[in-house]
Amino acid sequence: MAFCSACGWLVLSLIVAVLAQVNCIDIYYQWIVSLDYFLDPLGGSKPVITINGMFPGPLINSTTNDVVHVNVFNDMNEPMLITWNGIQQRLNSWQDGVSGTNCPIEPGTNWTYVFQTKDQIGTYTYFPSILMQKVAGGYGPIRVNNRDVILVPFPKPEAEFDLLIGDWFRDDHKLLRIYSRFKSSNSYLDEPDAILINGKGSANPESLTVTKGKTYRLRISNVGSVFSFNVRIQNHKMVVVETEGSYTNQITLDSLDVHVGQSYSLLVSADQDDADYYIVAAPKLHEANETSPLIAKGILHYADSVAAQPAGPLPEGPDPFDLQFSINQAKSIRWNLTAGAARPNPQGTFNVTNITLSQTFVLHGSKGEIRGTPGYLVNNVSYLTPDTPLKLADYFVNGAGVYKLDEFPTHSVKDAADYGVSVVSGTHKGWLEIVFHNDLAVMDSWHLDGFGMHVVGYGDGEWTPAARETYNLYDPVVRSTVQVYPGGWTAVYVFLDNPGMWNLRSQHVKHWYLGQQLYIRVHDDDPNPAKEKPPPTNLLLCGIFATSPSPAPAPQAGG
């Protein structure tokens, strides 16, 4: 580790920096990403994406304002990108790691991501973002810890555990990718074969060792592709304290629903007899019995336990089809207004009670056919990924030949399903209201790169402006991924203070891969790097710039 270059001014401001105790540390990682044949948790073997031979991948452990360098060597036989799920990439969408912002890292090459965990704390994940590679692994945990000068709103736990829980498929991801494109095989990826905890099935369960009388922080993330799950721990309560960078009001639960792409921090006290206890993750909207591999089982192991395994039946959870339970629980997860997060200011300093909306997007997620091929749609448009990343086209040629700005319908559903390169304008430093409609019969979840979303409302049926009367504008939780219930809507407010080209997508991998996404271009004409960073010096070029070693930036059109 070394002091980061961005903090060169620290020498001239030593007294101020020492008083504020502002950390700005460079952290370096070297990753070799491979496609290895692992023993599948369900038996047999299959290709699994590993990082430095690990599945799941290694922890990125950072502190607010650290600068993280990740040198990624692609040792696979296909291109890849890594995205940092929930890391906001302040002023720097060049590092976002999705197809609209980065050229892929080709086989046999490497590229170094450099991003700062600016003004963030919390629990996040990373994973491969293209070619449906996430279903083969390649994911791992990210922690962004508080600076010492910012009080954490709970006593320091004895230890922390990362629990990456997600569904798993027996089939090779390349086969699933091919089948997803064919109408006759479109049910592929709808139902996984198992749910894993830290890459382990119930035959070889993950085990967390605790000491009686101590309290632990469990950082739980849904790294799956399809299923929401309900997590619970036998004979133990769980206290929700954080989700994706927001400290929450501390509520005590018997179980918690975690939707695809979401992360939470839970406090669990080892307050039971010395024994072993089940950790269970069970799918939502799906029937599964105790012996099913779709019921993931881990173990909370007390250090002085002599038990060979947990005793008794698995802990019972809510009816997996009881959506009202899930909605009520979601509404109960609210912002802790008195806690400081990445900054000393209480979270309640940043509120939405008196804001003026600049824009409203009403987005219907659905599925259909485009010219005989299955696709997932937003307002009847299925996103078609161009060969040239949008960010490159935006910077060098104002998008010419790659996309046309604002052709996507943000308020209405097109009459006929079609493909499109969907890029819409977001008003810089304006408040955007997004209403996500789920026209599917399954749970969905939506993620916005670059921002936190104030989750202000849930509802059934068709949203109308009158629904704003039901919004929670007092203490809505802020997060990067929000669930949308079948046949329902979810409303969020977003302050667009982060210039860049930002991906808005379904976190369900098949939905995303088959078109349920778009990009929001948040632009500021001011070329001051404090507004948006210039391209990195190691910028990869591809598409229409593949043969242009040093294209010049175009005069930027207003957003």
Side-chain angles (χ1 to χ4, degrees):
M1 294 185 183
F3 284 106
C4 63
S5 55
C7 292
W9 56 267
L10 197 60
V11 176
L12 301 177
S13 308
L14 184 59
I15 296 175
V16 175
V18 168
L19 290 174
Q21 298 185 40
V22 175
N23 293 319
C24 195
I25 302 298
D26 283 293
I27 302 175
Y28 294 89
Y29 295 92
Q30 297 276 1
W31 286 1
I32 298 175
V33 181
S34 305
L35 197 59
D36 295 328
Y37 276 83
F38 262 44
L39 180 65
D40 182 48
L42 303 181
S45 65
K46 63 168 285 184
V48 174
I49 296 176
T50 64
I51 299 175
N52 296 344
M54 300 169 59
F55 168 64
L59 168 68
I60 292 179
N61 195 16
S62 64
T63 297
T64 300
N65 296 334
D66 284 352
V67 178
V68 181
H69 306 247
V70 187
N71 190 5
V72 177
F73 291 81
N74 182 3
D75 198 34
M76 300 196 297
N77 58 5
E78 60 183 10
M80 67 160 298
L81 285 170
I82 298 284
T83 193
W84 319 97
N85 196 53
I87 301 298
Q88 291 184 7
Q89 308 286 358
R90 298 297 300 174
L91 314 177
N92 197 13
S93 64
W94 296 102
Q95 305 289 335
D96 201 26
V98 291
S99 64
T101 58
N102 293 92
C103 296
I105 305 169
E106 297 293 340
T109 69
N110 70 293
W111 195 68
T112 301
Y113 292 91
V114 183
F115 59 88
Q116 187 174 24
T117 55
K118 180 71 173 172
D119 290 334
Q120 281 193 273
I121 56 94
T123 304
Y124 309 97
T125 57
Y126 61 82
F127 54 80
S129 68
I130 60 174
L131 299 175
M132 266 188 346
Q133 291 165 345
K134 185 186 177 189
V135 300
Y139 51 72
I142 303 175
R143 298 181 192 172
V144 184
N145 305 295
N146 281 71
R147 293 182 290 135
D148 289 340
V149 294
I150 309 297
L151 295 177
V152 176
F154 48 83
K156 184 178 180 180
E158 178 70 11
E160 299 188 12
F161 299 105
D162 298 291
L163 286 179
L164 304 183
I165 306 176
D167 40 50
W168 190 249
F169 296 84
R170 283 192 175 94
D171 287 327
D172 186 327
H173 75 283
K174 295 180 182 179
L175 182 64
L176 293 169
R177 189 166 71 215
I178 293 169
Y179 280 170
S180 71
R181 292 286 187 184
F182 292 96
K183 181 179 178 181
S184 60
S185 304
N186 197 233
S187 61
Y188 269 72
L189 273 167
D190 286 346
E191 185 172 326
D193 297 300
I195 294 180
L196 307 182
I197 300 178
N198 288 349
K200 299 178 181 179
S202 298
N204 176 34
E206 178 73 337
S207 182
L208 310 180
T209 299
V210 298
T211 300
K212 184 177 174 63
K214 303 294 185 180
T215 297
Y216 297 83
R217 182 175 183 172
L218 273 58
R219 295 179 182 258
I220 294 178
S221 297
N222 186 331
V223 292
S225 304
V226 179
F227 280 159
S228 303
F229 61 76
N230 177 271
V231 65
R232 56 254 190 189
I233 303 174
Q234 185 181 20
N235 292 2
H236 289 73
K237 301 287 188 180
M238 306 180 299
V239 180
V240 179
V241 294
E242 178 260 334
T243 180
E244 297 157 34
S246 288
Y247 286 125
T248 65
N249 286 337
Q250 294 176 21
I251 56 174
T252 302
L253 302 175
D254 295 315
S255 69
L256 175 67
D257 285 355
V258 186
H259 304 277
V260 176
Q262 292 185 341
S263 298
Y264 283 93
S265 287
L266 309 176
L267 295 182
V268 176
S269 295
D271 55 5
Q272 301 297 306
D273 293 335
D274 287 318
D276 285 4
Y277 300 89
Y278 284 115
I279 302 170
V280 168
K284 303 291 294 183
L285 297 180
H286 194 279
E287 201 71 63
N289 60 41
E290 286 196 4
T291 61
S292 169
L294 288 174
I295 301 287
K297 306 178 191 71
I299 296 173
L300 189 71
H301 169 71
Y302 279 57
D304 291 334
S305 170
V306 295
Q309 61 182 12
L314 299 182
E316 291 187 4
D319 182 339
F321 297 94
D322 184 355
L323 291 183
Q324 196 57 53
F325 164 87
S326 187
I327 293 169
N328 291 341
Q329 186 181 84
K331 289 180 177 179
S332 74
I333 296 170
R334 299 191 170 201
W335 230 15
N336 182 336
L337 298 182
T338 62
R343 292 158 291 195
N345 316 65
Q347 290 179 159
T349 305
F350 313 94
N351 65 68
V352 295
T353 53
N354 294 306
I355 61 100
T356 299
L357 293 173
S358 301
Q359 297 171 279
T360 295
F361 297 167
V362 180
L363 306 178
H364 284 259
S366 63
K367 67 177 179 179
E369 287 186 25
I370 308 101
R371 301 165 207 162
T373 300
Y376 281 80
L377 311 163
V378 188
N379 290 354
N380 245 2
V381 179
S382 184
Y383 181 81
L384 189 64
T385 303
D387 293 333
T388 304
L390 306 173
K391 185 63 183 170
L392 267 67
D394 179 57
Y395 186 80
F396 291 119
V397 294
N398 284 328
V402 177
Y403 73 88
K404 293 183 180 180
L405 190 63
D406 293 327
E407 287 194 335
F408 174 83
T410 57
H411 288 81
S412 60
V413 177
K414 291 184 67 172
D415 291 337
D418 202 356
Y419 294 111
V421 182
S422 307
V423 185
V424 298
S425 296
T427 302
H428 183 233
K429 293 192 175 178
W431 281 95
L432 168 65
E433 177 186 39
I434 309 176
V435 180
F436 300 105
H437 267 280
N438 184 1
D439 296 341
L440 302 166
V442 298
M443 192 81 76
D444 208 351
S445 59
W446 280 84
H447 176 89
L448 176 58
D449 286 347
F451 302 93
M453 300 185 287
H454 297 253
V455 186
V456 295
Y458 299 92
D460 295 323
E462 192 73 19
W463 177 89
T464 68
R468 293 181 181 133
E469 297 298 321
T470 69
Y471 286 1
N472 168 28
L473 300 182
Y474 176 67
D475 57 356
V477 73
V478 179
R479 61 186 318 149
S480 61
T481 300
V482 64
Q483 71 272 25
V484 192
Y485 295 92
W489 56 263
T490 299
V492 302
Y493 285 176
V494 186
F495 186 52
L496 298 180
D497 62 341
N498 193 10
M501 185 73 72
W502 301 108
N503 187 227
L504 178 62
R505 63 176 179 267
S506 172
Q507 291 279 49
H508 287 232
V509 171
K510 186 169 78 168
H511 300 183
W512 183 12
Y513 180 67
L514 293 183
Q516 196 172 320
Q517 63 172 313
L518 62 144
Y519 282 81
I520 302 178
R521 178 184 184 263
V522 181
H523 179 69
D524 190 316
D525 281 326
D526 189 341
N528 184 339
K531 297 292 181 71
E532 184 178 8
K533 294 182 184 298
T537 56
N538 64 344
L539 181 68
L540 295 177
L541 297 175
C542 57
I544 63 174
F545 305 111
T547 58
S548 177
S550 55
Q556 290 290 290

